Amino acid sequence: MKTILTALAVIFIAVFALAPAANAAGLEPFGKIEISGGAEREERSSAGGRGTIEGLGVLPVFGNFGVQGTAHYVGGLGSRFGLSAGPLLGWDGGKVGAVVTYQHRTLRDNNFVHVIPSVALYLDQANLNLWYAQPISAAQRDGGHVQYGVNKLQATASYYPGSDWASFLRKDNVELTLGVQVNTFGGAGHEKLGGVGPVFGVSFLPMAGVAVNLVRGTIDNQSRYRVSSGLEFFSSRGSPTLKEVRRKYLEPNPDLPPSAGATPSTSGGEG
């Protein structure tokens, strides 16, 4: 864990040092609402259907500096309500920032807080995203189990084909995402909650201001997963392509509602 955290620190220091030297790209006001449905399984929680609604906004403060925030609701196994906010810095080749997230879960009346630093690098036809979620809230104890916030490291690449595939699948409006995640590799509870696996997604923009997420998913080798499909509605200047839309804010986005996992307490009960 120390090696990974050191590597992340080096990356962020390098990005912040180089960003001012690059051509600063001014941030634009941006907003979107995402509605999705799918299935999920967390550690020692019942697998089943989940529905999510999430709002995201970017507010420029000055130049290439601004603030990004989200609000989300997840229903299906109890309810989850969450908020996040943090600073955002943009330049020609990417963005960097960090958010603090809060989530309340009604099922066990638990609260989790994560800090999530993130960086994105933009290539001609691809976006590279790297983020790390670190829980800073204490373990939540009730009855026969202990529930922990899950720390997660995720790296993804999103590719946007540079040619038209069909009349409604235009250049830069199809997104193919592939990556890897590492869950709970350190900290409290990691011996029982650790896991690694792929991240994948397929999306397209059939008309201005509306994106279709055919599938977005994460799976790890502990049989935990989150898979969904849905729609996104954007509010932005002009009629940007899907590639341009993704560059108006900073990931994580579909995986931002933070994960949690339960283990048996010392009394031997099950969560």
Side-chain angles (χ1 to χ4, degrees):
M1 179 179 178
K2 290 183 178 179
T3 301
I4 295 175
L5 291 178
T6 300
L8 284 172
V10 171
I11 291 171
F12 278 92
I13 290 172
V15 170
F16 273 114
L18 293 174
N23 295 324
L27 300 177
E28 297 180 5
F30 177 79
K32 79 181 183 77
I33 294 177
E34 180 174 354
I35 302 172
S36 63
E40 177 192 78
R41 180 184 181 272
E42 294 184 329
E43 190 71 21
R44 295 187 180 274
S45 291
S46 299
R50 305 287 187 269
T52 302
I53 180 168
E54 179 180 276
L56 178 147
V58 173
L59 179 64
V61 177
F62 58 85
N64 62 333
F65 177 79
V67 176
Q68 177 173 305
T70 67
H72 72 262
Y73 168 80
V74 182
L77 184 64
S79 294
R80 308 176 202 166
F81 305 88
L83 298 169
S84 78
L88 179 65
L89 179 69
W91 70 99
D92 274 357
K95 286 183 174 60
V96 66
V99 296
V100 176
T101 73
Y102 164 79
Q103 186 183 75
H104 173 72
R105 297 185 169 210
T106 63
L107 180 64
R108 293 167 177 162
D109 196 27
N110 289 337
N111 300 281
F112 294 98
V113 179
H114 287 68
V115 175
I116 308 179
S118 181
V119 62
L121 301 176
Y122 305 144
L123 308 179
D124 286 344
Q125 296 301 134
N127 295 346
L128 307 179
N129 297 293
L130 175 67
W131 58 268
Y132 171 69
Q134 174 61 43
I136 58 175
S137 48
Q140 311 285 302
R141 292 175 169 83
D142 61 296
H145 65 269
V146 182
Q147 193 171 35
Y148 301 92
V150 168
N151 65 1
K152 177 180 292 189
L153 178 67
Q154 187 180 109
T156 61
S158 293
Y159 171 67
Y160 304 89
S163 60
D164 295 348
W165 285 9
S167 60
F168 61 95
L169 300 176
R170 298 288 188 176
K171 173 184 176 181
D172 294 342
N173 279 331
V174 176
E175 179 184 47
L176 307 174
T177 300
L178 189 63
V180 63
Q181 61 172 336
V182 182
N183 296 320
T184 314
F185 48 83
H190 76 276
E191 299 89 348
K192 299 179 180 180
L193 297 175
V196 62
V199 180
F200 53 90
V202 179
S203 302
F204 67 96
L205 193 149
M207 64 183 72
V210 180
V212 177
N213 299 318
L214 291 179
V215 61
R216 284 179 165 175
T218 64
I219 302 173
D220 73 9
N221 62 340
Q222 301 301 314
S223 299
R224 292 171 295 194
Y225 59 84
R226 180 185 291 163
V227 180
S228 66
S229 299
L231 297 173
E232 297 180 59
F233 303 93
F234 307 104
S235 175
S236 180
R237 295 174 180 171
S239 299
T241 64
L242 186 56
K243 181 178 75 173
E244 292 169 338
V245 165
R246 298 296 189 226
R247 297 180 178 186
K248 292 183 180 296
Y249 60 93
L250 188 62
E251 300 288 5
N253 182 33
D255 298 321
L256 182 57
S259 299
T263 65
S265 71
T266 55
S267 64
E270 293 292 328

